[in-house]
Amino acid sequence: MEKQEVFRHLNTQLKNSEIKQDEFLKDYTYTKIGGQADFLIFPKNYEDIQTVVAFAKNNEIPLTIMGNGSNVLIRDGGIRGLVLNLTQLKNIESDGHYITAQSGARIIDASRFALEKSLTGLEFACGIPGSVGGALYMNAGAYGGEVSDVLESALIIDEDGEISKVSAGQLELSYRTSSIQKRGLIVLEAHFHLEPGNGQEIKSKMDELTFLRESKQPLEYPSCGSVFKRPPGYYAGKLIQDSGLQGYRVGGAEVSKKHAGFIVNVNQATAKDYLSVIEHVQESVKDHFGVTLETEVKIIGEEPRE
């Protein structure tokens, strides 16, 4: 289908969504990097998501799911087809020991909501910038806790556009991966099972973790967070630091001088700059220590057209 025809169909079928054409994705990522999306869609209800999934499948149009862009690197050529941005789905509510958060809500906000309700278990997430959906997608974790510790179940849309509730066990959550990634599922809601706690103790723990994050991480620059997975028996940041790579720079992308596990956008970096730094870091660490660093950040999109 021609782009204008796709645009007309989307506007006809989606009554509760904002649709943008040829939109630069750098305005929606934490790295401030990313080329144009053919169509960027902001659904406000689950029915519109199902409509988009069906439309993409029936017309063989690529479909990409995007949260708040905290752990993603989008290439400079952008993304073809449809991009679903779920950040409008951000409701969070509680029922006893349970918190239900929509996929577009920030996991930080879910953690703060738990504090308001004096529920413990989500303190580890108080500094994770990703969305709830993204946190499930990669089983996000920090400071000894991870999503799989507290997730009870999730509401998802499967490959056929069907909505169903699945248990945490069915999502196969393990270190920075899940069946959400493997099967291309779309998270609509997460249901967390927490425990009653002391509000002051919960706040003290969150304050402590926030201090650690702010003191150690280069939050003053745009970045995608930790670039690499933790290799068995090692810490990625320590390997990069010991390889003498802090301050290594290509264009506007630089290995952080504050925390070697981060690559920061210090001056209008492109995805090409970022990828060049990633490749150099991987080669150097392999040469120095014989360790292969795997990327944790999700790298998507296309190279620019010639």
Side-chain angles (χ1 to χ4, degrees), residues 92 101-107 110 130-137 187 189-190 192:
I92 305 173
Q102 288 186 304
S103 60
R106 299 190 309 164
I107 191 72
S131 65
V132 167
L136 270 63
Y137 178 93
V187 177
E189 298 175 1
F192 299 108

Side-chain angles (χ1 to χ4, degrees), residues 40-305:
L40 182 60
I41 305 167
F42 298 84
K44 296 180 181 178
N45 60 39
Y46 301 159
E47 293 75 21
D48 273 9
I49 298 175
Q50 287 181 292
T51 298
V52 171
V53 171
F55 179 76
K57 184 176 181 178
N58 293 338
N59 293 279
E60 298 182 342
I61 299 173
L63 175 63
T64 301
I65 309 304
M66 186 175 175
N68 66 357
S70 65
N71 193 243
V72 65
L73 179 61
I74 300 173
R75 292 185 178 93
D76 300 314
I79 301 177
R80 305 288 69 78
L82 312 180
V83 178
L84 269 178
N85 183 305
L86 303 181
T87 53
Q88 295 297 309
L89 302 171
K90 54 189 176 182
N91 186 58
I92 305 173
E93 56 189 34
S94 64
D95 182 9
H97 299 174
Y98 291 87
I99 284 180
T100 296
Q102 288 186 304
S103 60
R106 299 190 309 164
I107 191 72
I108 287 176
D109 292 335
S111 178
R112 292 170 179 167
F113 186 86
L115 168 61
E116 293 175 10
K117 302 298 181 181
S118 295
L119 295 172
T120 183
L122 269 177
E123 291 90 332
F124 74 89
C126 68
I128 298 175
S131 65
V132 167
L136 270 63
Y137 178 93
M138 63 177 296
N139 189 26
Y143 301 110
E146 56 187 14
V147 164
S148 59
D149 297 335
V150 291
L151 185 69
E152 176 84 7
S153 61
L155 195 68
I156 58 98
I157 293 181
D158 65 19
E159 307 93 315
D160 299 317
E162 298 297 323
I163 295 179
S164 62
K165 185 176 181 179
V166 297
S167 68
Q170 291 174 277
L171 294 177
E172 301 172 13
L173 300 165
S174 57
Y175 180 65
R176 302 302 176 262
T177 189
S178 68
S179 63
I180 300 166
Q181 295 185 37
K182 299 167 188 173
R183 292 178 53 195
L185 305 176
I186 302 174
V187 177
L188 299 178
E189 298 175 1
H191 309 291
F192 299 108
H193 184 202
L194 307 177
E195 298 295 334
N198 179 284
Q200 188 55 50
E201 291 177 0
I202 295 170
K203 184 178 185 303
S204 295
K205 182 65 174 177
M206 290 172 65
D207 288 345
E208 176 189 353
L209 296 181
T210 298
F211 172 78
L212 288 173
R213 176 174 178 261
E214 291 177 348
S215 62
K216 293 182 177 181
Q217 297 182 12
L219 303 179
E220 64 273 24
Y221 292 111
S223 82
C224 57
S226 297
V227 176
F228 302 100
K229 295 180 181 178
R230 185 179 66 243
Y234 299 91
Y235 289 99
K238 183 71 164 56
L239 291 172
I240 297 166
Q241 179 179 328
D242 291 347
S243 297
L245 293 170
Q246 283 183 284
Y248 176 81
R249 180 170 171 177
V250 175
E254 179 181 281
V255 177
S256 170
K257 300 182 183 75
K258 189 174 184 180
H259 190 310
F262 287 67
I263 297 174
V264 290
N265 182 352
V266 295
N267 185 19
Q268 298 181 347
T270 63
K272 184 177 181 180
D273 296 339
Y274 243 81
L275 292 168
S276 295
V277 174
I278 288 172
E279 183 178 354
H280 180 75
V281 167
Q282 289 173 318
E283 291 175 351
S284 297
V285 169
K286 183 71 172 179
D287 289 344
H288 280 87
F289 299 102
V291 177
T292 299
L293 291 180
E294 295 182 21
T295 52
E296 177 177 312
V297 61
K298 184 181 179 186
I299 302 168
I300 59 175
E302 300 183 353
E303 298 295 344
R305 296 170 183 169

